[in-house]
């Protein structure tokens, strides 16, 4: 089946630094990928849609300058949390559908802790 | 956007019991899926079920699209079934496959 791989699985960084998270589709090309955030004991909230070859689209309330998204190839999207602060600590997870109107697959997630 | 309501929020079972989890949508949905989130956070795909009924081992799911709800059945539950179960769907207005998640059902299966 389709597989989406996310790296790293967890990261601890100092306040003020930037962290990059990678999301790869391993056996299919994904022109669109999605980034979600999940706070402890809460549901997943969509942050942004990553579009290959064009700008990402962000959900209301998500700061595009803080959460930089790059979708440089058909198999890789990256999320960079810039100038991270403790309130950015969360579980970040990406997803990609093999094609529209089929099931979406999710990466393993990245647990970010900002200290 | 659509609203997704899951029930019950919490469920405690003895091993071997059966259970039904429900997901209600405020509007018509596309690409309805059920997931199990394991203790490490990974979302495991259970069913892609925009309509109809599917079965996979001890799990089965039914979606009644016209009435905007879906059910997940777990039979003969095992301790390894513990975790959070999410349903998610995309509003039928065509939102480029943006999934809206329910708040989840936390299932605990005791030995």
């Amino acid at each position: 089946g389709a597989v989406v791989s996310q790296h790293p699985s967890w990261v601890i960084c100092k306040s003020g630094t930037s962290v990059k998270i990678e999301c790869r589709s391993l056996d299919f090309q994904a022109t669109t990928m999605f980034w979600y955030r999940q706070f402890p004991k809460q549901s997943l909230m969509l942050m942004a849609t990553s579009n290959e070859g064009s700008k990402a689209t962000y959900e209301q309330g998500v700061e595009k300058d803080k959460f930089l998204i790059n979708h440089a190839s058909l198999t890789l999207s990256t999320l960079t949390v810039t100038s991270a602060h403790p309130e950015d600590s969360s579980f970040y997870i990406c997803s990609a559908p093999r094609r529209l109107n089929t099931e979406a697959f999710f990466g393993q997630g990245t647990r970010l802790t900002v200290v | 956007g659509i609203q997704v309501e899951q029930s019950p929020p919490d469920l405690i079972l003895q091993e071997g019991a059966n259970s039904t989890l429900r997901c209600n949508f405020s509007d018509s949905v596309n690409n309805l899926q059920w997931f199990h989130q394991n203790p490490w956070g990974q979302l495991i795909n259970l069913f892609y079920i925009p309509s109809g009924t599917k079965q996979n081992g001890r799990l089965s799911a039914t979606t009644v699209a016209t009435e905007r709800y879906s059910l997940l059945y777990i039979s003969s539950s095992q301790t390894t079934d513990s975790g959070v179960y999410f349903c998610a769907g995309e509003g039928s207005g065509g939102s480029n496959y943006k999934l809206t998640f329910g708040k989840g059902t936390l299932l605990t299966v005791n030995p």
Side-chain angles (χ1 to χ4, degrees), chain A residues 33-77:
Chain A
M33 294 184 177
F34 301 88
W35 288 95
Y36 293 81
R37 178 169 53 185
Q38 184 181 31
F39 290 108
K41 299 190 184 300
Q42 294 189 22
S43 187
L44 283 76
M45 298 296 293
L46 180 67
M47 297 175 65
T49 303
S50 175
N51 304 298
E52 189 270 334
S54 64
K55 291 182 178 180
T57 55
Y58 291 81
E59 296 302 299
Q60 191 172 9
V62 178
E63 300 175 58
K64 62 180 181 181
D65 294 330
K66 166 167 275 295
F67 300 101
L68 300 180
I69 291 173
N70 184 280
H71 196 147
S73 76
L74 287 171
T75 59
L76 174 64
S77 174

Side-chain angles (χ1 to χ4, degrees), chain A residues 3-14:
Chain A
V3 177
V4 174
S5 179
Q6 191 171 337
H7 178 81
S9 299
W10 59 271
V11 58
I12 302 174
C13 72
K14 290 185 177 180

Side-chain angles (χ1 to χ4, degrees), chain A residues 32 34 36 38 42-44 46 49 59 91 97 101-106 108 111, chain B residues 30-31 33 35 37 40-43 45 48 86 90 96-99 101-103:
Chain A
T32 305
F34 301 88
Y36 293 81
Q38 184 181 31
Q42 294 189 22
S43 187
L44 283 76
L46 180 67
T49 303
E59 296 302 299
F91 188 67
N101 295 320
T102 63
E103 65 182 316
F105 294 90
F106 284 76
Q108 302 93 321
R111 196 165 303 280
Chain B
N30 299 323
N31 300 314
Q33 290 187 238
F35 301 92
Q37 188 168 39
W40 297 272
Q42 179 152 20
L43 287 176
N45 289 35
Y48 174 78
F86 288 104
E90 172 198 1
N96 197 24
Y97 213 114
K98 296 179 182 179
L99 291 179
F101 282 76
K103 293 185 176 181

